[in-house]
Amino acid sequence: NDALNLATNDDFDFSDDNYTLEGFVRPPVGEFSSNSTILSRTKDASNFYRLVLLPNANFSFSYMQAGTNHIVTGGNANGAIFYHVAVSYNHADSNLALYVNNVRHQTNSFSVSNHAVMVDAPLRIGDTTLLSQDFSGHIDALRMSKSLKYKTAGEDQNDHMI
């Protein structure tokens, strides 16, 4: 199980503007015993965002700000199959949406207001801290964009390939 921890960087802010996080995820074969962290940025237990695979085989994205959790969940997954997973935040209507294989599964309306509190938090890929376990599947072509988009090809100057 490989994991990547990236130093603090403003490019990883889930800011108060449009934002998209997307990538391809292949869960491991077998049962999922706990929340498996695909990607996370954790300041503390009250301020974080994370994309996980739940024990019930659904993908879930949580954005916790000042102890209030905003969650979108869906897209039942099977092991050994790649899924395109995207999370987009639309600043204009304050909606967070989860897409799996081009299907929108759930939205949650909230306003991002305290993203600055995450300034010292590293970005962890396939690794976690106190919130769940490491992800033992495969993660590919992860992209974080400070724009509202949902596509897997093409780049602009705001894309950050990892």
Side-chain angles (χ1 to χ4, degrees), residues 41-63:
R41 189 168 188 209
T42 303
K43 173 69 174 181
D44 54 41
S46 295
N47 296 284
F48 63 84
Y49 64 78
R50 66 179 175 170
L51 176 64
V52 300
L53 182 63
L54 299 172
N56 67 2
N58 279 299
F59 292 102
S60 180
F61 183 82
S62 301
Y63 182 86

Side-chain angles (χ1 to χ4, degrees), residues 123-143:
L123 181 72
R124 298 174 179 268
I125 301 170
D127 185 23
T128 188
T129 55
L130 65 152
L131 301 172
S132 56
Q133 71 181 23
D134 295 348
F135 182 73
S136 61
H138 291 82
I139 303 167
D140 194 16
L142 185 62
R143 175 170 57 182

